[in-house]
Amino acid sequence: QVRLVESGGDLVQAGGSLRLSCATSGNINGINSMGWYRQAPGKQRELVAVITSSGSTNYADSVKGRFTISRDNAKNTVYLQMYSLNSEDTAVYYCNVEARWPRRSLWGQGTQVTVSS
């Protein structure tokens, strides 16, 4: 059984900060990348940030300079530190793992981030 559990979503005022966590468990058998996606009401799911097995990162243009993705391999956990939140960041945030053997995509259940103004 493979499990991804997100935490850290909350209601926050505009300009505030949050840190999301995604803890993984189970027999994944290697990871190519870990990342965060989000889906706002009425919109499609979009990539927010990814970190590869080599440590390279990539961010959506809308969050560059405000969000930082990181990982703790010993804890099998990926984080998303978010600063200067605004109403456009309101969404359900999903943790994603791209596993190696076999190659497949794994998803968490999501955590709600709501930014009020």
Side-chain angles (χ1 to χ4, degrees):
Q1 180 182 358
V2 177
R3 186 179 181 185
L4 280 65
V5 180
E6 302 100 332
S7 62
D10 206 348
L11 172 65
V12 64
Q13 295 285 329
S17 303
L18 286 173
R19 189 169 85 144
L20 307 183
S21 299
C22 175
T24 65
S25 63
N27 190 15
I28 298 178
N29 293 321
I31 295 173
N32 283 328
S33 67
M34 306 180 75
W36 292 93
Y37 290 71
R38 67 186 182 187
Q39 187 167 23
K43 296 185 177 181
Q44 297 184 23
R45 187 175 299 186
E46 65 175 351
L47 174 67
V48 177
V50 295
I51 183 166
T52 70
S53 60
S54 66
S56 298
T57 58
N58 189 37
Y59 298 91
D61 288 341
S62 60
V63 307
K64 287 180 180 177
R66 299 189 298 121
F67 291 10
T68 301
I69 188 170
S70 61
R71 68 187 182 191
D72 186 332
N73 290 334
K75 296 181 178 180
N76 296 315
T77 301
V78 63
Y79 306 93
L80 185 68
Q81 179 67 58
M82 306 184 292
Y83 294 108
S84 301
L85 289 163
N86 58 64
S87 61
E88 296 180 353
D89 298 316
T90 294
V92 178
Y93 284 70
Y94 296 92
C95 180
N96 164 255
V97 170
E98 297 299 319
R100 286 187 175 182
W101 307 292
R103 181 174 170 82
R104 64 201 190 280
S105 297
L106 306 172
W107 296 91
Q109 293 298 310
T111 184
Q112 177 71 50
V113 172
T114 302
V115 183
S116 64
S117 59

